[in-house]
Amino acid sequence: MKAYRRILIISTALLLTGIFLFMKMSFSYRGSGVDTLMINDIISSVRESWDSMDSFDGSRFDTEMIVFDSQDFIVYSSADEELEGVDSTKKATEKGCISLVVTADSRYLGTVVIPDPDRLEYERVNRRICTAAAVLSVMFLLAGIIYGRYVRRTIVKPFGEMEKFAENVASGKLDVPIRLEKNNMFGAFTGSFDIMREELKNARRREDELKIREKEMVASLSHDLKTPITGIKLLCELMTVKTEDEYVKKKIGDIHQKAEQINVLVSDLLASTLDDLGEMNVSCTDESSEILHELVAEHDTRGAAREAEIPQCMICADRIRLSQVIGNIIGNSYKYADTDIDIGYVVRDGFLEMSISDRGEGVPEDELGLITAKFYRGANSAGKDGSGLGLYIASKLMEKMNGELICSSRGNGFCVTLMIPLS
């Protein structure tokens, strides 16, 4: 702020000084007028010496002069700078000189030309004014350059840095500080903004820590819930064996089914949480393609799957994770289509393509790119149990196994293609 005041004072002083000099130069000319006595004396002296102009001495007069005869020839000259180039009375008139007519007894003898003192004074003042204007222009230019550099250094540049700082904060780059320049007028603001950045950084760090703790807690609870759910399922199976009452068996079957649904939801929640924490590990090994038949049979509890012949080859996959993927897809077909399931196999471009298709209504084209998103549930999921995590987890697991999950909707159903890498 002090530097700003100094620049303002200097600029104002230069401006006032320039205006003062300009006004002083402008009003210093008052006009000296023509000295009548000197003119009369010149005319008299020339008239008296006309017949012997060679002996005429004009040096006693404080002015340059040229004497022309009646034929406009020069008979005497003491011309210097002011009468330079004057070689006729016409040229003297064009140059603004004073022409004095010399006569004797009404006889025209010649003309005496002398500089016009008013014109000389005017030209002198005009030169001074032009010089003052040039100096004033230089002073204004210099003041403008100084002030411009000051404005750029103390206003424009800090604003640019603050704009870049705001962009970094908006994009989440909270580790980039803003340079503190306490000598300019924005020094206090930049300090405050940097404090704000530090607080935002700390707040984000605390938020991330809380999110991680929350996910760890969800993962821990999901893992702990699987134990009692497994116990409930075992008890249901035991009670089914022990009882002969069909009504009781039906109710026990309903309990077992609900427990299985809870188990699937908890498994999906656990897998999703582990993926967020970066702990959904996959360990791929070389396996025979025959395991796919075993995995399908493991999850096709209703016997709805119709498998094509499996090509003999070796695949690189995590058996447990691949089982989880196939189970999610078959479970979705049970839930949303409840039709037969067609499973085909094709070896192509280093992958074993396993296509799992149902014969339901399918999925609208505008939803195909969304159904593998986290927590997304399609329009046909109304009234159906689910969390929107099944296909999301399946897609993530296939990526971790260097494969791919591709969804498509055919005219007579929905198809999921698993791109399983070959060994």
Side-chain angles (χ1 to χ4, degrees):
M1 210 60 173
K2 292 181 179 179
Y4 173 75
R5 286 197 292 268
R6 285 198 297 268
I7 292 292
L8 187 60
I9 292 172
I10 292 173
S11 301
T12 304
L14 289 174
L15 177 62
L16 293 177
T17 301
I19 293 175
F20 172 76
L21 290 175
F22 186 80
M23 293 179 67
K24 187 175 184 300
M25 295 290 184
S26 299
F27 293 103
S28 62
Y29 172 68
R30 295 291 183 271
S32 59
V34 179
D35 190 341
T36 306
L37 293 177
M38 183 185 72
I39 289 177
N40 292 334
D41 191 13
I42 290 173
I43 294 174
S44 298
S45 298
V46 171
R47 183 186 299 117
E48 292 173 358
S49 304
W50 186 259
D51 294 331
S52 58
M53 286 300 296
D54 293 338
S55 61
F56 177 73
D57 183 15
S59 61
R60 63 189 182 88
F61 301 104
D62 190 19
T63 183
E64 301 175 25
M65 69 172 63
I66 300 176
V67 180
F68 294 92
D69 61 11
S70 58
Q71 302 300 318
D72 212 20
F73 289 105
I74 298 175
V75 295
Y76 174 81
S77 176
S78 62
D80 198 359
E81 295 180 358
E82 297 172 359
L83 293 179
E84 183 179 4
V86 176
D87 54 5
S88 65
T89 55
K90 181 179 179 182
K91 184 69 70 65
T93 303
E94 293 175 352
K95 199 169 182 179
C97 300
I98 296 177
S99 297
L100 307 176
V101 177
V102 181
T103 60
D105 298 329
S106 300
R107 183 170 63 91
Y108 173 66
L109 298 178
T111 304
V112 179
V113 175
I114 61 175
D116 186 349
D118 285 346
R119 182 181 62 81
L120 295 177
E121 179 67 12
Y122 171 78
E123 291 179 352
R124 182 182 64 81
V125 172
N126 187 56
R127 286 194 297 271
R128 292 175 63 187
I129 291 175
C130 291
T131 302
V135 172
L136 184 62
S137 299
V138 172
M139 292 170 65
F140 272 120
L141 180 61
L142 182 61
I145 292 174
I146 294 174
Y147 188 72
R149 289 177 64 88
Y150 169 78
V151 169
R152 183 179 181 277
R153 181 174 62 85
T154 59
I155 299 178
V156 177
K157 188 177 179 181
F159 260 122
E161 292 179 356
M162 290 169 65
E163 181 180 5
K164 186 176 180 181
F165 171 78
E167 291 176 355
N168 289 333
V169 171
S171 60
K173 298 178 182 178
L174 299 178
D175 293 327
V176 182
I178 186 172
R179 291 191 304 172
L180 300 178
E181 296 182 2
K182 296 183 178 179
N183 294 329
N184 62 56
M185 64 180 66
F186 297 103
F189 294 106
T190 55
S192 300
F193 285 145
D194 203 60
I195 293 173
M196 178 191 69
R197 177 191 65 81
E198 289 289 345
E199 290 298 323
L200 286 174
K201 180 180 177 181
N202 293 333
R204 175 167 292 183
R205 177 178 53 79
R206 290 192 295 268
E207 181 182 1
D208 292 340
E209 290 176 354
L210 289 174
K211 286 182 178 179
I212 292 175
R213 291 177 183 174
E214 179 183 351
K215 294 181 185 300
E216 289 174 347
M217 182 183 68
V218 172
S220 177
L221 290 175
S222 300
H223 184 270
D224 293 341
L225 282 172
K226 291 181 71 68
T227 301
I229 291 172
T230 302
I232 293 172
K233 291 170 63 178
L234 291 175
L235 287 174
C236 289
E237 293 174 2
L238 179 61
M239 292 173 65
T240 301
V241 174
K242 294 294 184 179
T243 184
E244 297 294 337
D245 190 331
E246 293 299 325
Y247 176 79
V248 174
K249 282 186 177 182
K250 184 177 182 304
K251 294 302 179 182
I252 293 174
D254 291 341
I255 295 173
H256 187 278
Q257 182 183 359
K258 296 299 181 182
E260 180 59 29
Q261 291 178 358
I262 296 173
N263 184 53
V264 172
L265 293 175
V266 171
S267 297
D268 289 346
L269 182 60
L270 177 60
S272 174
T273 305
L274 292 176
D275 180 56
D276 291 339
L277 293 172
E279 297 180 3
M280 189 165 63
N281 300 320
V282 170
S283 179
C284 295
T285 57
D286 293 335
E287 301 279 355
S288 170
S289 59
E290 292 295 330
I291 67 166
L292 298 176
H293 176 71
E294 299 174 8
L295 298 180
V296 170
E298 177 184 339
H299 296 285
D300 183 23
T301 57
R302 300 183 186 179
R306 303 290 182 266
E307 279 189 278
E309 183 179 354
I310 302 177
Q312 294 296 321
C313 59
M314 297 296 292
I315 60 175
C316 182
D318 184 324
R319 178 169 181 152
I320 297 176
R321 296 303 189 183
L322 189 56
S323 173
Q324 186 176 352
V325 171
I326 294 174
N328 273 325
I329 298 171
I330 293 177
N332 280 346
S333 294
Y334 285 168
K335 185 189 304 182
Y336 299 113
D338 195 20
T339 64
D340 289 341
I341 301 172
D342 299 317
I343 303 177
Y345 302 92
V346 177
V347 175
R348 183 184 295 126
D349 299 331
F351 293 93
L352 174 60
E353 298 183 10
M354 178 182 181
S355 59
I356 305 174
S357 309
D358 60 43
R359 302 176 186 179
E361 298 179 0
V363 175
E365 288 291 333
D366 57 349
E367 290 188 3
L368 285 176
L370 301 174
I371 56 177
T372 57
K374 194 173 186 179
F375 299 120
Y376 182 83
R377 304 194 71 197
N380 63 343
S381 62
K384 306 288 180 65
D385 295 332
S387 59
L389 291 172
L391 286 179
Y392 166 77
I393 294 171
S395 177
K396 288 295 182 182
L397 289 174
M398 290 303 299
E399 289 179 10
K400 289 180 178 291
M401 290 187 287
N402 300 317
E404 188 178 1
L405 183 147
I406 303 173
C407 298
S408 59
S409 190
R410 301 173 180 174
N412 58 344
F414 177 68
C415 176
V416 177
T417 301
L418 302 179
M419 306 290 290
I420 306 171
L422 299 178
S423 298

